[in-house]
């Protein structure tokens, strides 16, 4: 386990403050006129390349969702689909053909027209790039453009979450074919240029990208919607949350979209010039059990673990107002309320019975996540009180996500907070729980649930499809390979005076800057 002493932490904070003060980003509080037209919000690290058909990370997602748009979206604060660049759509009864009517009068940031040919080119580029998010179009068989405002796509088989893919921030985003053609180099489909530039239809475009320093977005003069009051979004790279909190309190930042601790949020919420907002999110904090664990491999032992972890007490202690105890197997809003209940009856005696046998348990969590570190420490105490020998170990991101390739490195218990790619249960289970799924980090396999998930995806009738997904969820739940603890919110700390907030729960660490208003 990595340990940082208070002295070391303070020294690091001082050095980072000095470094930030010497950077090109202004640290001076600004007047009301500037606050009304600009926002300063930090990134914790440089985002990965910003090519819309390659990008597949949460850090920097606010750039993608500000600069690019898809055909559909989720209504603000909801998981209900609504049109964005498409105004309406129909699906054939067999679930194979979708017809979209496109919004008229839309232009890309470069001033070129958005039409059905641009949609087809954007879909083709996504398929051709064959990067992580391309799976959402893997079953596209044919695309037709009968007129400039009509786009028709045909699939090889029914895909129940297809429309949700089109609303996902990682789904196919509309990219200017003209910009791609102009900036292509050596057959790279302009991916080198798009790594630090944007070419979408959104309310902003990226106008500066200085690695390890700062990124800037400016209002898109060709935006088809209402002109935003916030015309500039400055995003300095500030790795230390202690520095972020200090700068927000002193007026050098305007908002922090993620990453602070429970104590940080409580202090900022009580501050005279700052406030904390809780917004709906599709995020679960959970424990993943290693099926090869000597202690918790057997189902009976996993049942004891579930009973031994008090969801309500752990959520309150670790997350406070940032979370609520989990009651549903999927994140709230992805299934009808009560479809797959997931509350655990707290009974520490069951865990104590397992603990009488003794045993060593390793608890893992991703490096840098202070909340999950706190959760790991809390669970360590619970297991030790039950008679087990428990240790805690953090894992760097690369090691954390490489566990499927290195099963010998898997801890007995692994803590994480996850969100799906979209507000559809398929984009949760197929990523985190399906056998050999990319983020099934502990390697648990529930073949009966996998079969139901496949049947649900291939069923064109929405009612029948949802019923299959419910049964799949119950099978994954009953395996107790995934023990849910809390539903987490998107928590934003901001200077007082902002209003008209808007966000979509499927998107992490994000807000819609174009709707924001500022009034002191």
């Amino acid at each position: 386990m990595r340990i940082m002493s208070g002295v070391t932490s303070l020294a690091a904070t001082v050095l980072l403050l000095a470094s930030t003060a010497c950077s090109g980003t202004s640290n001076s509080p600004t007047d009301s006129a500037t606050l009304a037209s600009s926002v300063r919000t930090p990134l914790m690290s440089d985002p990965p390349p910003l090519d819309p058909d390659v990008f597949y990370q949460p850090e920097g997602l606010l750039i993608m969702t500000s600069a690019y748009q898809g055909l559909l979206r989720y209504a603000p604060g909801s998981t209900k689909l609504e049109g964005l660049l498409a105004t309406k759509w129909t699906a054939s009864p067999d679930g194979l053909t979708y017809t979209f009517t496109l919004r008229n009068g839309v232009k890309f940031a470069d001033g070129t027209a958005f039409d059905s040919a641009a949609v087809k080119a954007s879909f083709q580029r996504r398929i051709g790039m064959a990067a992580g998010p391309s799976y959402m179009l893997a079953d596209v068989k044919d695309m037709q453009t009968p007129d400039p405002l009509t786009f028709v796509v045909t699939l090889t088989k029914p895909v129940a979450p297809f429309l949700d893919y089109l609303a996902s921030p990682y789904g196919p985003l509309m990219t200017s074919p003209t910009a791609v053609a102009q900036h292509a180099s050596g057959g790279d489909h302009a991916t080198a240029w798009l790594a630090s530039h944007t070419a979408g239809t959104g309310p902003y475009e990226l106008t500066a990208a200085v690695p390890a320093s700062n990124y800037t977005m400016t209002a898109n003069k060709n935006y088809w919607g209402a002109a935003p009051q916030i015309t500039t979004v400055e995003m300095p790279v500030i790795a230390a949350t202690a520095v972020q909190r200090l700068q927000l309190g002193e007026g050098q930042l305007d908002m922090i979209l993620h990453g602070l601790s429970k104590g940080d949020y409580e202090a900022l919420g009580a501050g005279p010039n700052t406030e904390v907002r809780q917004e709906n999110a599709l995020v679960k904090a959970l424990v993943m059990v290693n099926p090869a664990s000597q202690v918790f491999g057997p189902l009976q032992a996993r049942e004891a673990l579930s009973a031994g972890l008090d969801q309500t007490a752990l959520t309150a202690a670790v997350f406070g107002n940032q979370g609520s105890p989990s009651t549903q197997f999927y994140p709230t809003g992805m299934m009808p309320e009560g479809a797959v209940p997931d509350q655990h009856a707290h009974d520490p005696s069951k865990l104590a019975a397992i603990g009488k046998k003794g045993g060593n348990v390793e608890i893992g969590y991703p490096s840098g996540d202070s909340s999950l570190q706190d959760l790991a420490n809390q669970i360590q105490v619970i297991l030790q009180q039950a008679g087990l020998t428990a240790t805690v170990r953090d894992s760097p991101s690369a090691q954390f996500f490489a566990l499927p390739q290195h099963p010998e490195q898997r801890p007995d218990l692994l803590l994480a907070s996850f969100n799906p790619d979209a507000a559809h249960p398929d984009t949760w289970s197929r990523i985190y729980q399906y056998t050999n799924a990319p983020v099934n980090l502990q390697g648990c396999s529930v073949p009966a649930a996998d079969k139901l998930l496949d049947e649900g995806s291939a069923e064109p009738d929405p009612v029948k499809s949802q019923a299959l997904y419910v049964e799949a969820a119950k099978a994954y739940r009953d395996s107790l390979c995934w023990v849910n603890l809390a539903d987490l919110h998107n928590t934003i700390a901001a200077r007082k005076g902002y209003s008209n907030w808007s966000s979509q729960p499927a998107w992490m660490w994000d807000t819609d800057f174009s709707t924001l208003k500022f009034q002191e």
Side-chain angles (χ1 to χ4, degrees), residues 342-356:
D342 192 37
Q343 285 179 295
H344 310 148
H346 183 222
D347 185 354
S349 67
K350 292 184 178 180
L351 185 58
I354 297 296
K356 285 181 181 179

Side-chain angles (χ1 to χ4, degrees), residues 399-459:
Q399 181 181 337
F400 184 80
F401 288 105
L403 288 173
Q405 291 75 48
H406 299 281
E408 74 284 354
Q409 296 179 7
R410 288 171 173 153
D412 297 271
L413 307 178
L414 185 64
L415 310 185
S417 57
F418 287 146
N419 74 305
D421 282 356
H424 192 285
D426 199 284
T427 69
W428 181 272
S429 286
R430 202 170 294 278
I431 292 173
Y432 300 119
Q433 294 158 343
Y434 197 86
T435 301
N436 297 324
V439 197
N440 185 346
L441 300 180
Q442 295 279 58
C444 194
S445 178
V446 190
D450 295 346
K451 182 175 182 293
L452 288 163
L453 199 75
D454 289 339
E455 291 173 355
S457 178
E459 173 54 62

Side-chain angles (χ1 to χ4, degrees), residues 66 202-208 216-221 228 230-233:
S66 298
Y204 298 93
E205 56 183 324
L206 187 66
T207 51
T216 303
M217 294 190 298
T218 305
N220 172 11
K221 63 182 181 299
I230 303 299
T231 57
T232 304
V233 181

Side-chain angles (χ1 to χ4, degrees), residues 329-330 335 340 429 449 468-478:
F329 183 69
Y330 287 127
M335 280 283 196
V340 191
S429 286
L468 289 163
Y469 279 112
V470 166
E471 294 307 309
K474 290 177 179 177
Y476 286 125
R477 176 199 64 188
D478 294 346

Side-chain angles (χ1 to χ4, degrees), residues 118-140:
V119 179
K120 183 176 181 179
S122 295
F123 272 49
Q124 287 178 330
R125 186 178 189 277
R126 169 64 63 97
I127 295 167
M129 293 301 293
S134 67
Y135 80 89
M136 297 182 185
L137 297 183
D139 293 298
V140 169

Side-chain angles (χ1 to χ4, degrees), residues 56-78:
Y56 201 29
Q57 296 288 336
E59 190 66 72
L61 185 62
L62 74 170
I63 298 174
M64 307 303 291
T65 57
S66 298
Y68 293 97
Q69 296 173 317
L71 297 183
L72 307 181
R73 72 170 187 173
Y74 295 107
S78 166

